[in-house]
């Protein structure tokens, strides 16, 4: 099939709102866009294990430790699932990891911020997973079949994480003065980076045009951000947390909140490598990947010698 | 030693082993050689913390002084812990963790199989549940022993060195004291001497299949039955207990 025919068959399916499956004809640019997006999604799950993993050994109760361990395990599972999804498009996990480690592929900018106190574990679950869900629920209707199905499964687990994170914050807000201060401090530090997770304003968004045409994306960055803000402000009020935005106010006409200016300078700076943890996250990933090389080599050699084992 | 004291002590042994081994396994998070192993190791950590929770909860009930499983995990000091020394050793490289898991899981296999027949119904129930998990832990470490032992020269050497380094801590797993005597008389536990030859047979069989030689050591380190530990435990506890110690009035 030549490129024009591929394009015609493909666009016809898209118009009918049918899912594109791995063996279906698809334009190269659609494939490349998906590989970029899905691998970035997978890398985000994996790099996200670092800030949360930072608190596993210090979790304050056996229950909290189990919940956190289970959550991080879920994230790792999502990573595996998404790597497999990307592999259906003709790229290997090794290639994706190499792209991550050489900086060609990105991961969610949010994980370049540090998890400093136990309240950050609450804030990450509540705000970061909360923002991720809003994005991922929209992606359940994305045009690439395997990606859409991955999102169904992932969303179920993420909503559980979000509740757990909120529970940590709620408990701390019912606790001692120090705990309440810790919770508010985490809120102050994570709120704005969480809003940035939805990406630039629609008018400045570089990848959006094609993504809409191909129905990979169905809602705009600003629509999704608005949805997140509207549900989160109320949740914060219920437990007595203040949103660190003096310009935040209810807009009766649009039936949603207006928010203050997002610091896009910071966003660009961190995305381009100069955030609090960019170097640390990548060094960690590379270090343990390299330290594990002899194990992967041993497993491969064993498999070669004893293929049926 | 009364039956109650003996039972409390024995339950701390079981609970602390699971707690400390679970803690060490959890340190692998985001550090394993492949993502699948990250999940496997933290999954085993999760099993162990679950077992620790069950044993320590029961220990608190037996002690009857109002201490919860969290009080026992987070508010005791080094000398009040009774986990085997092997569990608290730093994770080392992947071969060290695998070797340690093999030695411990094969011990736990016989331990919990025996305890699942205990006259104490709570112990029998927790042991039966834990035994199911141990089957998986044992299979996991056995398979990795084969891969490392027979994979490359490098992996073989690393695994052999790890087994050698850990061997001096194996005798302690079977050490018995007054608590064992009292509880054996009551039919709650069995003699660990019975399972030692079975353990050795299982472990040496797996190591032999993995081309790993059985270490020949002339010294065995013990101490945990008296709460005498390695220097590593204090650091582990200072990290694990940090929030509970720093904010004693807080609940989380």
């Amino acid at each position: 099939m030549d490129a024009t025919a591929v394009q015609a068959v493909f666009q016809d399916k898209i118009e009918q709102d049918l899912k594109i499956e791995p063996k279906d004809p698809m334009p190269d640019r659609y494939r490349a866009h998906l590989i970029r997006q899905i691998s970035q999604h997978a890398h985000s799950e994996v790099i996200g294990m670092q800030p949360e993993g930072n608190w596993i050994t210090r979790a304050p109760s056996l229950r909290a430790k189990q919940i956190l361990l289970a959550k991080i395990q879920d994230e790792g599972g999502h990573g595996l699932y998404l790597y497999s999804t990307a592999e259906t498009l003709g790229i290997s996990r090794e290639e994706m990891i190499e792209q991550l480690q050489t900086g060609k592929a990105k991961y969610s900018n949010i994980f370049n911020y540090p998890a400093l106190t136990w309240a950050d574990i609450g804030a990450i679950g509540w705000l970061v997973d909360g923002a991720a869900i809003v994005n991922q629920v929209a992606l359940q209707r994305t045009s690439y079949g395997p990606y859409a199905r991955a999102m169904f499964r992932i969303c179920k687990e993420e909503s559980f994480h979000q509740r757990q994170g909120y529970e940590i914050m709620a408990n701390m807000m019912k606790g001692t003065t120090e705990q309440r201060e810790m919770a508010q401090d985490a809120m102050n530090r994570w709120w704005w980076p969480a809003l940035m997770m939805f990406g630039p304003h629609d008018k400045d968004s570089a990848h959006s045009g094609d993504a809409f045409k191909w129905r990979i994306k169905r809602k705009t960055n600003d629509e999704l951000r608005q949805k997140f803000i509207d549900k989160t402000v109320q949740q914060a009020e219920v437990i007595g947390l203040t949103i660190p935005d003096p310009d935040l106010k209810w807009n009766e006409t649009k039936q949603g909140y207006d928010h203050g200016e997002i610091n896009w300078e910071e966003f660009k700076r961190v995305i381009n490598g100069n955030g609090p943890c960019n170097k640390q996250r990548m060094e960690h990933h590379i270090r343990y990947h390299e330290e594990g090389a002899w194990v992967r080599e041993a497993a491969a050699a064993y498999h070669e010698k004893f293929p049926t084992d | 030693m009364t039956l109650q004291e003996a039972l409390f002590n024995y339950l701390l042994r079981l609970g602390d082993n699971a707690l400390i081994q679970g803690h060490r396994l959890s340190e692998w998070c985001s550090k394993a050689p492949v993502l699948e192993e990250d999940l496997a190791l933290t999954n085993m950590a999760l099993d162990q913390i679950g077992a620790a929770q069950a044993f320590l909860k029961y220990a608190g009930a037996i002690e009857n002084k109002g201490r919860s499983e969290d009080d026992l995990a987070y508010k005791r000091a080094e000398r009040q812990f009774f986990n085997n020394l092997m569990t608290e050793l730093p994770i080392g490289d992947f071969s060290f963790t695998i070797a340690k898991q093999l030695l411990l899981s094969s011990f736990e296999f016989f331990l919990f199989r025996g305890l699942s027949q205990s006259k104490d119904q709570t112990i029998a129930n927790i042991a039966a549940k834990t035994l199911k998990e141990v089957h998986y832990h044992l299979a996991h470490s056995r398979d990795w022993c084969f891969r490392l032992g027979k994979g490359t020269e490098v992996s073989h050497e690393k695994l052999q060195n790890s087994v050698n380094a850990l061997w001096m801590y194996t005798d302690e797993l079977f050490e018995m004291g007054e608590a064992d005597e009292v509880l054996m008389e009551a039919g709650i536990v069995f003699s660990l001497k019975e399972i030692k030859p079975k353990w050795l047979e299982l472990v040496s069989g797996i190591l032999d299949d993995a081309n790993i030689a059985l270490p020949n050591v002339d010294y065995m380190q013990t101490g945990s039955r008296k709460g005498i530990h390695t220097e590593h435990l204090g650091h582990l506890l200072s990290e694990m207990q940090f929030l509970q110690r720093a904010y004693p009035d807080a609940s989380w």
Side-chain angles (χ1 to χ4, degrees):
Chain A
M1 217 186 286
D2 68 16
T4 329
V6 165
Q7 180 66 39
V9 174
F10 169 79
Q11 201 59 43
D12 185 52
K13 275 200 145 183
I14 294 284
E15 299 304 329
Q16 290 184 59
D17 238 347
L18 295 172
K19 295 286 180 234
I20 306 298
E21 296 299 335
K23 287 181 178 159
D24 291 346
M26 62 183 92
D28 292 344
R29 283 176 52 234
Y30 176 80
R31 185 185 298 277
H33 185 108
L34 281 171
I35 288 178
R36 185 184 59 77
Q37 181 169 340
I38 299 171
S39 69
Q40 173 171 334
H41 198 159
H43 297 324
S44 302
E45 300 280 0
V46 171
I47 298 296
M49 295 166 79
Q50 290 183 36
E52 297 191 292
N54 182 39
W55 278 93
I56 285 183
T57 55
R58 291 175 292 171
S61 71
L62 296 175
R63 180 174 177 268
K65 198 186 187 98
Q66 285 171 295
I67 290 171
L68 184 57
L69 266 170
K71 174 180 196 283
I72 301 174
Q73 243 194 335
D74 285 348
E75 315 287 7
H78 298 169
L80 273 183
Y81 208 52
L82 287 162
Y83 281 132
S84 304
T85 307
E87 282 178 332
T88 64
L89 292 157
I91 185 169
S92 69
R93 204 203 299 182
E94 291 70 29
E95 287 172 282
M96 287 185 268
I97 290 175
E98 200 197 317
Q99 289 181 352
L100 171 69
Q101 295 186 343
T102 54
K104 193 184 164 212
K106 296 222 179 297
Y107 54 89
S108 179
N109 208 30
I110 195 82
F111 300 121
N112 290 320
Y113 291 85
L116 299 178
T117 72
W118 176 250
D120 289 39
I121 296 304
I124 291 174
W126 174 40
L127 300 174
V128 176
D129 288 55
I133 294 169
V134 173
N135 260 326
Q136 290 171 163
V137 164
L139 282 171
Q140 288 178 343
R141 295 179 57 233
T142 195
S143 59
Y144 189 56
Y147 194 29
R149 290 190 287 276
M151 285 306 113
F152 270 100
R153 185 168 140 171
I154 288 173
C155 281
K156 275 186 204 158
E157 292 179 348
E158 296 286 8
S159 62
F160 180 68
H161 300 165
Q162 200 220 353
R163 281 203 298 277
Q164 299 294 349
Y166 188 59
E167 185 193 292
I168 289 177
M169 294 304 253
N171 281 342
M172 291 184 73
M173 289 306 287
K174 281 187 282 191
T176 64
T177 310
E178 281 165 315
Q179 284 178 299
R180 285 197 296 277
E181 283 170 2
M182 212 186 273
Q184 183 63 54
D185 170 63
M187 175 88 204
N188 295 349
R189 285 181 289 108
W190 287 94
W191 173 253
W192 291 104
L195 294 193
M196 293 176 198
M197 283 175 72
F198 297 95
H201 287 308
D202 298 344
K203 57 181 169 43
D204 309 316
S205 184
H207 300 289
S208 284
D210 286 342
F212 279 106
K213 195 174 77 192
W214 295 326
R215 299 200 181 165
I216 292 173
K217 206 167 170 168
R218 301 246 181 187
K219 291 218 154 70
T220 71
N221 292 354
D222 285 328
E223 281 172 332
L224 294 169
R225 185 165 22 238
Q226 187 67 50
K227 221 175 161 125
F228 170 72
I229 293 172
D230 291 344
K231 74 167 184 171
T232 309
V233 170
Q234 281 187 331
Q235 291 170 351
E237 278 170 3
V238 169
I239 57 174
L241 280 167
T242 307
I243 305 278
D245 178 359
D247 297 324
L248 187 88
K249 60 171 185 292
W250 179 251
N251 180 330
E252 193 59 37
T253 326
K254 77 170 185 189
Q255 287 292 300
Y257 286 91
D258 290 331
H259 62 85
E261 193 62 36
I262 293 170
N263 185 347
W264 295 113
E265 287 307 312
E266 175 183 322
F267 177 73
K268 275 181 222 148
R269 175 171 54 78
V270 179
I271 263 194
N272 289 324
N274 293 314
C277 298
N278 301 52
K279 289 183 184 67
Q280 181 189 332
R281 299 288 182 246
M282 209 35 63
E283 277 168 15
H284 179 106
H285 195 273
I286 292 169
R287 177 186 162 189
Y288 290 104
H289 189 70
E290 284 175 358
E291 281 186 11
W294 68 270
V295 177
R296 295 190 299 275
E297 281 157 20
Y302 182 84
H303 185 68
E304 189 109 319
K305 289 181 204 168
F306 310 97
T308 55
D309 265 26
Chain B
M1 189 180 268
T2 66
L3 184 63
Q4 185 198 23
E5 286 165 349
L7 190 52
F8 180 59
N9 175 267
Y10 200 93
L11 287 165
L12 289 182
R13 266 156 60 172
L14 297 174
D16 291 349
N17 255 21
L19 178 67
I20 303 302
Q21 178 60 7
H23 185 97
R24 285 301 190 205
L25 285 169
S26 78
E27 291 179 19
W28 275 100
C29 178
S30 82
K31 296 175 187 162
V34 285
L35 194 46
E36 285 82 349
E37 281 310 301
D38 223 295
L39 301 185
L41 294 172
T42 50
N43 196 48
M44 294 196 283
L46 204 49
D47 289 343
Q48 298 273 10
I49 305 293
Q53 196 175 27
F55 283 125
L56 292 179
K57 186 177 178 184
Y58 188 38
I62 291 296
E63 189 198 31
N64 201 19
K65 287 183 182 166
R67 288 205 278 183
S68 70
E69 60 270 35
D70 283 337
D71 292 333
L72 289 171
Y74 293 94
K75 291 175 179 168
R76 276 180 298 149
E78 296 93 320
R79 296 277 282 103
Q80 296 155 344
F81 272 78
F82 297 99
N83 57 286
N84 287 120
L85 301 181
M86 192 192 290
T87 62
E88 72 207 35
L89 301 176
I91 55 175
D93 70 7
F94 188 71
S95 74
F96 195 79
T97 285
I98 290 299
K100 195 206 257 196
Q101 198 60 50
L102 176 76
L103 299 173
L104 281 171
S105 294
S106 41
F107 165 68
E108 287 175 346
F109 173 73
F110 295 110
L111 176 72
F112 291 123
R113 201 171 66 171
L115 289 180
S116 65
Q117 308 299 316
S118 172
K119 277 187 186 167
D120 183 304
Q121 202 50 51
T122 309
I123 290 184
N125 291 345
I126 306 171
K129 180 176 183 288
T130 307
L131 184 61
K132 284 184 198 154
E133 296 163 351
V134 169
H135 278 121
Y136 167 74
H137 304 170
L138 182 56
H140 176 264
S141 51
R142 180 200 60 208
D143 291 352
W144 271 108
C145 277
F146 294 162
R147 290 186 200 111
L148 298 182
K150 294 160 123 176
T152 64
E153 268 180 50
V154 172
S155 65
H156 176 270
E157 191 188 343
K158 282 180 191 283
L159 182 60
Q160 182 70 64
N161 289 341
S162 294
V163 172
N164 293 350
L166 284 160
W167 202 258
M168 69 186 272
Y169 299 100
T170 53
D171 249 16
E172 193 198 44
L173 300 171
F174 306 95
E175 198 176 41
M176 292 173 48
E178 203 186 335
D180 297 74
E181 303 299 332
V182 172
L183 295 171
M184 274 166 62
E185 207 152 294
I188 294 174
V189 307
F190 61 94
S191 168
L192 295 174
K193 289 197 183 77
E194 287 169 23
I195 61 171
K196 192 173 176 189
K198 295 177 194 167
W199 172 85
L200 188 61
E201 195 190 336
L202 176 63
V203 167
S204 50
I206 292 171
L207 291 179
D208 193 48
D209 285 346
N211 286 347
I212 297 294
L214 219 53
N216 190 7
V217 301
D218 51 13
Y219 174 71
M220 287 286 179
Q221 181 65 49
T222 67
S224 75
R225 296 287 191 253
K226 295 190 171 73
I228 306 281
H229 288 272
T230 67
E231 288 180 347
H232 306 296
L233 183 66
H235 292 285
L236 185 155
L237 294 181
S238 66
E239 188 173 336
M240 184 176 87
Q241 298 178 336
F242 156 65
L243 280 170
Q244 291 271 358
R245 300 280 195 183
Y247 304 97
D249 301 328
S251 72
W252 307 86

